[in-house]
Amino acid sequence: MEHTNPAELAVVDLACGRDDRLLFSGLSFGLRPGQVLLLEGSNGSGKTTLLRTLCGFREADEGEIRWCGQLLEESSYYADMAYVGHAEGIKKELTVLENLRFALALSQPGHYGIDEALQKVQLAGYDDNPVHTLSAGQKRRLSLARLLITHNILWILDEPFTSLDRQGIDLIETLIDAHVKQGGMVILTSHHDLSLHHIGLQRIHLDSCL
Amino acid sequence: MEHTNPAELAVVDLACGRDDRLLFSGLSFGLRPGQVLLLEGSNGSGKTTLLRTLCGFREADEGEIRWCGQLLEESSYYADMAYVGHAEGIKKELTVLENLRFALALSQPGHYGIDEALQKVQLAGYDDNPVHTLSAGQKRRLSLARLLITHNILWILDEPFTSLDRQGIDLIETLIDAHVKQGGMVILTSHHDLSLHHIGLQRIHLDSCL
Amino acid sequence: MSLTQAFLAIIRRDLLLAFRRRAEMANPLLFFVMVVTLFPLAVGAQPNLLQAMAPGVIWVSALLAALLSLDSLFRSDFDDGSLEQLLLSPHSLPVLVLGKIVAHWLVTGLPLLLVAPLLALFLGLPERAMPTLWLTLLLATPMLSLIGAIGVALTVGLRRGGMLLSLLVLPLYIPVLIFASSAVDRAASGLPVTAQINILLAMLLLALVLTPLPTAAALKMSVN
Amino acid sequence: MSLTQAFLAIIRRDLLLAFRRRAEMANPLLFFVMVVTLFPLAVGAQPNLLQAMAPGVIWVSALLAALLSLDSLFRSDFDDGSLEQLLLSPHSLPVLVLGKIVAHWLVTGLPLLLVAPLLALFLGLPERAMPTLWLTLLLATPMLSLIGAIGVALTVGLRRGGMLLSLLVLPLYIPVLIFASSAVDRAASGLPVTAQINILLAMLLLALVLTPLPTAAALKMSVN
Amino acid sequence: MTLESFLHMGGYAFYVWTSYGITTAVLLWNLFAPIVQRKQLLRQLALKQKRAQR
Amino acid sequence: MSIIPASVSRFFHRTASSPHFYALADKFIPWLIVLFLLLLIPGLYGGLVMAPADYQQGDSYRIIYIHVPAAWMSLFIYVLMAIMGGIALIWHMKLAEVMLISSAPIGAGFTFIALVTGSLWGKPMWGTWWVWDARLTSELILLFLYLGISALYGAIEDKRSAARAVSILALVGVVNIPIIHYSVEWWNTLHQGPTVSKMDKPSIHISMLIPLLLMAGAFKVYYAIAVLQTAKLELLKREATAQWVKNLLENKA
Ligand code: HEM
Ligand SMILES: Nc1ncnc2c1ncn2[C@@H]1O[C@H](COP(=O)(O)OP(=O)(O)OP(=O)(O)O)[C@@H](O)[C@H]1O
Ligand SMILES: Nc1ncnc2c1ncn2[C@@H]1O[C@H](COP(=O)(O)OP(=O)(O)OP(=O)(O)O)[C@@H](O)[C@H]1O
Ligand SMILES: [Mg+2]
Ligand SMILES: [Mg+2]
């Protein structure tokens, strides 16, 4: 929250591969507060690989990623971003509340309190349910509640709509919308069609990045 | 090949569940030589569960499955069927040829020889390549070659089109077509649109089977 | 193809696979050698003590090595779907499973037979006990594979099966351990061991006949 | 929240998880007890021999139990994505990792401290060696967790890591084993053990400071 | 010194010559195995390249 | 990078590029072979023929000319691997990774030789093939360390990750080296104390010492040759699809 230079993600000339196969190269883009980036591409085109590279899990084969003009390790990047991947990072044996409290302990408090966030993702009243009693869609919602209770500017979401019904999808679109309006940024992948047309939406098609 | 009663698969009043949740119930259908059954339904609707029940891996909660009028264990079912699931049952460390030879050893020889089959799935010349050097699409093709070299009447295919490009999809449709024309039967699931309209195609929508 | 051909094909394939994965294949053997090595380090260089412990140490280590090698019996087949194809084969499943167990023993048990005498020599086991050590290993290691197969078949579908597997299988290994190590102990003291060997032989024959059935049943359950 | 709070939160969460998964938690302890009991079965009822072997047997068994419990250190976090979230935390990863190791030791190492004296008694270890046995276990089991963490972190991404893990970790355990068991041995013979205990203490402090770094680096590599 | 006494090694022939033999074998293996494997790999790669060009 | 002068860093960068290294290795190997033979032949002649029999051990001591150099190499190579592991981790130098992983089988080979020749020497000297003393056992453990490194590298499919993993392991495992080296002094064991390596006053006759040093040199050069050969293979495996490999193949064809 105490950023002096404007938050900005800049990706320059990125190339990533798996084994010896190059997935994409020469990928460049910038993302500023209020913007959404939608990654498209067929199965295996490297969307997940790109997101994980942006998280710093993988090293890029070439190119660089900068946050507020600095390399990731030297910047406040990890305090400013949040990632929800295929695996949700939620403990099945713990309750909803315990999971969120732990997420909070690893990070800084964000815009919303836990109760408020659960309300927002329509999980109010499930506080003390162990997560393994939740349905797949409810689990997804819980992992999104984490985004609300912790401080972050950049959301990186890998197929956030999987296992969500129509109503769940609308909910996330609302959340993304609100986050972006508050000056946040979002990068996501999805095979669904998005109804986010009204905000500054960039699209990148990975199949064409070779 | 030495069947006196006509090959026929009959499913009567089948119900299956996972954990305590019922996935579908009251499902009945019959399949005769020359027919194709396409299972549809959203993710998690139980398509894979149904196929695995048909393979005898899972027991149905209710109902029964008959082959040529007999219960599966009492019939020649396992000599007459072949299954290609998500996991392909192919050893990465062995060569294409070694894999096919082993498949043959577990079963009876079918319509095609190994060379012919490899030709048909466009893998001719790859005989001695270890499978881990093949691409995902080529691996899929190899698992289909198994169907050609062994004796079988009923094919059970779980999403056979995954990781195949347009050309690969056409290829399989041709193979299915040929198999059905020779008096075979096919049960498959797919999220793709099929161009199999000209043959006796049944569709079952699992979401509506509750 | 006939059942015999299928049986042989399974053995041949698993041996080929083991050969292609040489590095992995050596692991149980290395583990065995390593555990045996731990004891002299733990009790210090006391030749007499080591010599007295030798049969027990060799046998407990062989047992643990067999235990830890068990996972590889069905793991990769389960992961890549080969197990499903095995279950769908029209041939008798217990026989096919026996094929897999035989191959597994050839790969993990047989090498123990080769290095165990060497380690026993290093530990100072008297030479007159060597033939007995070797014979008990020959009779008992297949049993370890056969009995263990039931345990793996039950747990192969679970992700965290490792510890559970030991708890299931170790109690079943105890009778083998008792007869085998007491035979070696007696041989080291120059006593006759015919009774122990006969019992081991009988147990092996029983295991050969009886264990493939429950293993096959457990596999069916695991694949669901 | 502050780094200390995060550190404590990790310990609290892992203990809570262990408590919810009680059944699994007991496994290393059971394994330990079972391996120790294998020895009397394997060498027969020879009280003097058992007594002489006792320090070695207890120590090797503790080591193997620690080894086999290691997998649970990062496995479930790796599978459900919690590990990724840990890596993305703005806090220092080595400190968070240390939190996980501490929790793991509390769950798997501490119980060994409680039953080991009992088992030692059964094996006939002289009573004057008990305090030393206990002290060495107290100093050395945390080291087993700390050193082992490096090995698990290196192999957590592999499906067939089990055997490989032993191969990697056992050589690193050797120094601990040598000093700890020689201390118990000396104590059993009534000799002074200050030197060994001091060395173990120094090793523990070194391990506390030095091992979280490579563990964190290895985890980063595994998550790729 | 005769060749015979040289080979006899003062009665320690077995130990000395086995040592030297095993050493030679291991060293040769570590030297030539990678060379042979590299030749094989190059042949494989060349074949692959030819196939790709066709 | 800032702690290294630019010229040095440029040199490393050039040498560290795979095709350049590959060509350089080809250039060096013949000279290394010549050097190897120049050390080996006088070493063997001096050791097996010229040096007198030991007054205690008779001719059996001639095993020293392979046992000791091999044992030294087994430790030396591991230390080298740890250093290369450090370089690979800090500067992400691919070549250090390749050299590290190529050294493992050669180090394992020397360790094996030290074990076998020591055992073959122990039988006539100590009357037993093996004793479980600290030095012998820790040398056996060293063999496991080498094998563990190779196994870990083989088990991780993504070779970039595998190289990182192996670098970490090599660095961590180096704690065992002092234990092996000082074991004879820390514990009283059957094994010989430092006789040769006490450089100020080696307690071994000069006619025995010179061939020993020649053999030690020969083994070092052998290591250089073997590691270059293995590294060439490893580079090809890792970069099979790179352009320089394609060029190489075209030049050959
Ligand atoms: C399997 C048995 C043996 C093993 C594993 C072994 C291992 C080793 C090792 C690792 C070293 C290098 C130590 C260092 O540089 O720090 C060494 C050196 C040496 N070994 Fe052995 N050894 C064995 C048997 C023997 C025997 C039987 C003898 C002679 C009676 C012997 C004589 C020597 C000598 C003279 C050195 C050189 C010591 C020095 O000056 O550094 N070794 N051995
Ligand atoms: N762990 C892995 N090891 C090796 N290759 C992998 C691994 N994970 C993915 N790949 C390969 O990398 C390529 C890109 O995978 P990635 O997961 O980034 O695709 P994606 O665009 O996210 O696809 P999807 O739409 O299926 O999620 C694929 O071809 C895949 O086969
Ligand atoms: N091993 C399992 N244990 C428990 N539940 C499972 C298991 N596998 C699947 N399920 C559940 O059973 C339900 C049906 O799964 P199934 O795999 O049959 O669906 P599907 O129709 O094949 O879906 P998809 O289109 O994703 O392949 C799902 O809700 C899933 O969560
Ligand atoms: Mg993806
Ligand atoms: Mg499915």
Side-chain angles (χ1 to χ4, degrees):
Chain A
M1 311 241 168
E2 52 327 299
H3 291 284
T4 45
N5 8 1
E8 182 185 353
L9 182 75
V11 167
V12 186
D13 218 14
L14 204 68
C16 286
R18 281 277 194 185
D19 303 328
D20 329 311
R21 206 158 42 88
L22 201 61
L23 290 171
F24 53 84
S25 63
L27 183 71
S28 302
F29 63 85
L31 201 67
R32 263 184 231 96
Q35 290 190 322
V36 174
L37 172 65
L38 175 64
L39 289 179
E40 296 176 311
S42 53
N43 284 124
S45 58
K47 301 182 295 295
T48 301
T49 306
L50 174 56
L51 293 190
R52 296 180 72 80
T53 311
L54 290 179
C55 287
F57 294 145
R58 299 179 56 81
E59 267 176 51
D61 290 351
E62 274 170 40
E64 53 181 35
I65 307 169
R66 287 174 175 270
W67 179 249
C68 307
Q70 293 167 306
L71 290 179
L72 297 191
E73 282 75 33
E74 293 154 14
S75 69
S76 61
Y77 185 65
Y78 289 108
D80 291 337
M81 60 83 79
Y83 168 71
V84 178
H86 289 292
E88 282 149 335
I90 288 178
K91 287 287 170 196
K92 284 221 264 311
E93 294 88 348
L94 300 184
T95 66
V96 168
L97 208 59
E98 285 162 350
N99 267 299
L100 289 181
R101 289 233 178 92
F102 179 69
L104 203 51
L106 285 189
S107 179
Q108 305 299 327
H111 284 296
Y112 301 98
I114 289 184
D115 287 343
E116 229 176 332
L118 284 180
Q119 206 97 48
K120 277 215 172 275
V121 298
Q122 300 164 0
L123 279 179
Y126 284 90
D127 309 40
D128 291 327
N129 286 45
V131 171
H132 65 81
T133 65
L134 301 187
S135 83
Q138 290 169 323
K139 261 182 239 160
R140 268 271 125 180
R141 291 202 186 127
L142 175 56
S143 70
L144 294 164
R146 211 186 54 217
L147 296 177
L148 300 178
I149 60 163
T150 57
H151 162 71
N152 44 55
I153 298 175
L154 173 65
W155 288 359
I156 299 185
L157 311 176
D158 199 357
E159 316 223 358
F161 302 115
T162 38
S163 59
L164 286 177
D165 44 19
R166 190 61 244 168
Q167 193 195 4
I169 295 179
D170 290 344
L171 171 71
I172 302 194
E173 288 181 350
T174 323
L175 292 181
I176 291 180
D177 216 21
H179 180 62
V180 166
K181 288 227 174 78
Q182 287 168 356
M185 330 174 187
V186 177
I187 302 180
L188 78 166
T189 68
S190 169
H191 291 292
H192 291 256
D193 274 326
L194 288 187
S195 51
L196 287 170
H197 307 289
H198 51 294
I199 28 177
L201 182 72
Q202 292 184 52
R203 284 167 188 270
I204 290 184
H205 207 89
L206 275 189
D207 292 318
S208 56
C209 290
L210 253 178
Chain B
M1 309 240 168
E2 52 330 293
H3 292 282
T4 44
N5 10 0
E8 181 185 354
L9 182 75
V11 167
V12 186
D13 217 13
L14 206 66
C16 285
R18 280 278 195 185
D19 304 328
D20 326 310
R21 205 157 43 88
L22 198 63
L23 290 172
F24 53 84
S25 64
L27 183 72
S28 301
F29 63 86
L31 200 68
R32 260 182 235 98
Q35 291 189 321
V36 174
L37 172 64
L38 175 64
L39 289 179
E40 296 176 311
S42 54
N43 283 126
S45 57
K47 302 182 294 296
T48 301
T49 307
L50 173 56
L51 292 190
R52 296 179 73 81
T53 312
L54 290 179
C55 288
F57 294 145
R58 301 177 56 81
E59 267 176 48
D61 291 352
E62 271 170 42
E64 52 179 37
I65 308 168
R66 287 176 174 273
W67 179 249
C68 307
Q70 292 168 306
L71 290 177
L72 297 190
E73 281 74 32
E74 292 153 13
S75 68
S76 62
Y77 185 62
Y78 290 109
D80 290 337
M81 59 84 78
Y83 167 71
V84 177
H86 289 292
E88 282 149 334
I90 288 177
K91 287 285 170 198
K92 285 221 266 306
E93 294 88 347
L94 300 184
T95 66
V96 169
L97 208 59
E98 285 162 349
N99 267 298
L100 289 180
R101 288 235 179 91
F102 179 70
L104 203 51
L106 285 189
S107 178
Q108 304 299 329
H111 284 297
Y112 301 98
I114 289 184
D115 285 344
E116 230 175 330
L118 284 179
Q119 206 97 47
K120 278 216 173 272
V121 299
Q122 300 166 356
L123 280 178
Y126 285 89
D127 311 39
D128 291 326
N129 287 46
V131 171
H132 66 81
T133 64
L134 300 188
S135 83
Q138 289 170 324
K139 263 181 233 159
R140 269 272 125 179
R141 290 201 189 130
L142 175 55
S143 71
L144 294 164
R146 210 186 54 217
L147 297 176
L148 299 178
I149 59 163
T150 59
H151 163 70
N152 44 54
I153 299 174
L154 172 64
W155 288 359
I156 300 185
L157 311 177
D158 198 358
E159 316 225 357
F161 302 115
T162 38
S163 59
L164 285 178
D165 45 17
R166 190 61 246 168
Q167 193 195 3
I169 295 178
D170 291 344
L171 171 71
I172 301 195
E173 289 179 350
T174 322
L175 293 181
I176 291 180
D177 216 23
H179 181 61
V180 166
K181 289 227 175 80
Q182 287 168 357
M185 332 174 186
V186 177
I187 303 181
L188 77 164
T189 69
S190 169
H191 291 291
H192 290 257
D193 275 326
L194 289 187
S195 50
L196 288 170
H197 308 288
H198 53 293
I199 30 178
L201 182 71
Q202 292 182 53
R203 285 167 189 268
I204 290 186
H205 208 87
L206 274 190
D207 292 317
S208 57
C209 291
L210 253 178
Chain C
M1 309 254 166
S2 77
L3 184 57
T4 330
Q5 274 174 309
F7 178 77
L8 293 178
I10 286 196
I11 298 183
R12 199 171 330 112
R13 184 197 62 159
D14 277 11
L15 292 182
L16 197 59
L17 277 173
F19 178 73
R20 299 263 159 91
R21 295 175 187 153
R22 260 159 308 209
E24 232 169 89
M25 193 177 115
N27 283 345
L29 191 62
L30 282 175
F31 184 82
F32 176 63
V33 177
M34 244 169 359
V35 175
V36 172
T37 317
L38 290 181
F39 282 95
L41 288 175
V43 302
Q46 309 177 38
N48 290 338
L49 178 57
L50 281 177
Q51 179 172 354
M53 289 167 66
V57 167
I58 297 260
W59 259 103
V60 172
S61 307
L63 209 121
L64 293 176
L67 186 71
L68 295 195
S69 77
L70 279 179
D71 190 54
S72 68
L73 181 49
F74 296 121
R75 166 68 53 215
S76 85
D77 279 9
F78 181 83
D79 288 346
D80 66 16
S82 303
L83 197 55
E84 294 171 356
Q85 297 300 334
L86 215 61
L87 294 184
L88 292 180
S89 164
H91 296 303
S92 151
L93 186 57
V95 175
L96 300 183
V97 163
L98 189 62
K100 284 201 67 73
I101 299 176
V102 169
H104 182 257
W105 176 76
L106 288 175
V107 171
T108 64
L110 204 55
L112 294 194
L113 285 185
L114 304 181
V115 296
L118 194 68
L119 288 173
L121 198 68
F122 281 1
L123 288 175
L125 190 75
E127 271 181 42
R128 60 168 172 239
M130 289 297 164
T132 310
L133 174 69
W134 206 82
L135 194 59
T136 56
L137 281 169
L138 183 66
L139 291 174
T141 50
M143 252 187 289
L144 299 183
S145 292
L146 285 164
I147 298 172
I150 306 177
V152 219
L154 284 170
T155 54
V156 68
L158 311 173
R159 262 225 80 139
R160 260 163 303 206
M163 270 286 178
L164 185 61
L165 180 64
S166 343
L167 293 183
L168 289 180
V169 169
L170 270 187
L172 300 176
Y173 279 178
I174 301 258
V176 182
L177 176 69
I178 291 180
F179 289 107
S181 59
S182 89
V184 181
D185 231 12
R186 290 172 63 92
S189 332
L191 299 170
V193 293
T194 338
Q196 278 80 358
I197 297 291
N198 283 343
I199 294 179
L200 282 175
L201 190 60
M203 281 163 65
L204 175 60
L205 293 179
L206 266 179
L208 264 175
V209 177
L210 292 183
T211 59
L213 282 167
T215 308
L219 279 180
K220 275 196 185 139
M221 181 229 58
S222 283
V223 157
N224 80 22
Chain D
M1 310 255 168
S2 77
L3 183 56
T4 331
Q5 274 173 310
F7 178 76
L8 293 177
I10 285 194
I11 297 184
R12 199 171 330 112
R13 184 197 64 158
D14 278 9
L15 292 182
L16 196 60
L17 277 173
F19 179 72
R20 300 262 161 90
R21 294 176 188 153
R22 264 161 306 216
E24 230 170 90
M25 196 177 112
N27 283 345
L29 192 62
L30 282 174
F31 184 82
F32 177 61
V33 176
M34 245 171 359
V35 174
V36 172
T37 43
L38 286 182
F39 282 93
L41 293 173
V43 303
Q46 309 177 40
N48 290 338
L49 178 57
L50 279 178
Q51 179 172 356
M53 287 167 67
V57 167
I58 298 260
W59 259 103
V60 172
S61 307
L63 210 120
L64 291 176
L67 187 71
L68 295 195
S69 76
L70 279 179
D71 191 54
S72 67
L73 181 49
F74 296 120
R75 166 68 53 216
S76 86
D77 279 9
F78 181 83
D79 287 346
D80 66 15
S82 304
L83 198 55
E84 293 171 357
Q85 297 299 334
L86 215 62
L87 292 184
L88 293 180
S89 163
H91 296 302
S92 151
L93 186 58
V95 175
L96 302 182
V97 162
L98 188 61
K100 283 201 70 69
I101 299 175
V102 169
H104 182 257
W105 177 75
L106 289 175
V107 171
T108 64
L110 205 54
L112 294 194
L113 285 186
L114 304 181
V115 297
L118 197 69
L119 289 173
L121 207 64
F122 284 166
L123 290 176
L125 192 74
E127 269 181 44
R128 61 168 173 240
M130 288 298 164
T132 311
L133 174 67
W134 206 82
L135 194 61
T136 54
L137 280 170
L138 182 67
L139 291 174
T141 50
M143 252 187 289
L144 298 183
S145 291
L146 285 164
I147 297 171
I150 304 175
V152 218
L154 285 171
T155 54
V156 69
L158 309 173
R159 266 225 77 139
R160 259 164 304 204
M163 272 284 179
L164 184 59
L165 180 64
S166 351
L167 184 58
L168 299 185
V169 169
L170 275 184
L172 302 178
Y173 278 177
I174 300 284
V176 183
L177 176 69
I178 292 180
F179 289 106
S181 61
S182 90
V184 181
D185 230 13
R186 289 171 64 92
S189 332
L191 299 170
V193 293
T194 338
Q196 277 80 0
I197 298 291
N198 282 343
I199 293 179
L200 281 176
L201 190 61
M203 280 164 64
L204 174 59
L205 293 178
L206 265 180
L208 265 176
V209 177
L210 292 184
T211 58
L213 283 167
T215 309
L219 280 179
K220 275 195 185 140
M221 181 282 307
S222 282
V223 158
N224 82 16
Chain E
M1 179 164 146
T2 66
L3 181 65
E4 203 169 312
S5 77
F6 174 67
L7 289 178
H8 188 248
M9 272 292 155
Y12 293 108
F14 169 75
Y15 303 106
V16 174
W17 293 123
T18 318
S19 296
Y20 278 83
I22 289 177
T23 304
T24 315
V26 172
L27 294 187
L28 286 182
W29 172 267
N30 270 340
L31 193 59
F32 286 103
I35 297 181
V36 172
Q37 280 178 31
R38 182 163 46 96
K39 293 261 159 70
Q40 275 173 356
L41 183 65
L42 281 173
R43 218 175 306 130
Q44 260 178 29
L45 289 175
L47 260 177
K48 219 185 201 171
Q49 194 167 350
K50 227 179 268 166
R51 204 153 48 200
Q53 278 165 358
R54 253 191 286 124
Chain F
M1 275 313 225
S2 51
I3 27 175
I4 306 176
S7 59
V8 175
S9 132
R10 218 177 306 119
F11 169 77
F12 269 119
H13 225 82
R14 223 167 101 67
T15 335
S17 87
S18 313
H20 193 252
F21 172 80
Y22 197 92
L24 211 62
D26 275 339
K27 214 179 292 169
F28 268 118
I29 286 173
W31 294 107
L32 287 172
I33 292 176
V34 170
L35 184 58
F36 174 61
L37 294 177
L38 282 180
L39 291 165
L40 179 76
I41 293 168
L44 280 179
Y45 187 76
L48 288 175
V49 182
M50 300 238 300
D54 189 83
Y55 71 99
Q56 272 181 333
Q57 307 191 2
D59 279 323
S60 74
Y61 91 95
R62 295 186 198 278
I63 294 177
I64 201 175
Y65 298 112
I66 46 182
H67 171 73
V68 174
W72 284 345
M73 287 306 288
S74 71
L75 300 178
F76 172 73
I77 293 179
Y78 196 92
V79 174
L80 266 191
M81 283 169 59
I83 293 172
M84 288 185 286
I87 294 175
L89 282 177
I90 297 170
W91 291 296
H92 293 259
M93 220 169 91
K94 194 164 49 188
L95 202 59
E97 292 171 355
V98 169
M99 293 297 264
L100 163 53
I101 193 58
S102 306
S103 297
I106 305 168
F110 279 122
T111 314
F112 181 76
I113 292 173
L115 282 166
V116 170
T117 56
S119 202
L120 281 164
W121 196 359
K123 187 64 182 173
M125 283 310 103
W126 308 331
T128 169
W129 296 103
W130 185 262
V131 285
W132 291 98
D133 79 355
R135 158 145 302 170
L136 272 60
T137 313
S138 53
E139 181 77 359
L140 185 61
I141 299 297
L142 182 64
L143 181 64
F144 295 147
L145 271 174
Y146 277 119
L147 295 180
I149 285 180
S150 291
L152 182 63
Y153 186 75
I156 303 180
E157 249 160 65
D158 179 20
K159 286 310 164 200
R160 240 176 20 176
S161 306
R164 281 187 87 75
V166 160
S167 306
I168 295 170
L169 185 63
L171 267 179
V172 171
V174 84
V175 295
N176 274 21
I177 298 299
I179 294 187
I180 301 172
H181 187 73
Y182 293 111
S183 52
V184 270
E185 294 177 34
W186 291 349
W187 291 277
N188 37 11
T189 69
L190 261 185
H191 195 281
Q192 210 102 346
T195 40
V196 187
S197 48
K198 274 191 301 188
M199 271 311 160
D200 45 342
K201 190 174 172 294
S203 45
I204 169 177
H205 193 269
I206 193 78
S207 67
M208 296 180 177
L209 181 63
I210 288 177
L212 182 60
L213 294 180
L214 285 174
M215 286 303 283
F219 275 26
K220 289 227 160 47
V221 180
Y222 164 86
Y223 163 69
I225 302 170
V227 82
L228 286 178
Q229 292 290 7
T230 319
K232 275 167 68 183
L233 170 66
E234 203 53 50
L235 268 183
L236 274 183
K237 270 193 200 158
R238 280 183 67 167
E239 305 193 3
T241 54
Q243 189 56 45
W244 70 269
V245 177
K246 292 197 176 113
N247 295 344
L248 190 80
L249 289 172
E250 243 136 54
N251 291 347
K252 282 229 165 119

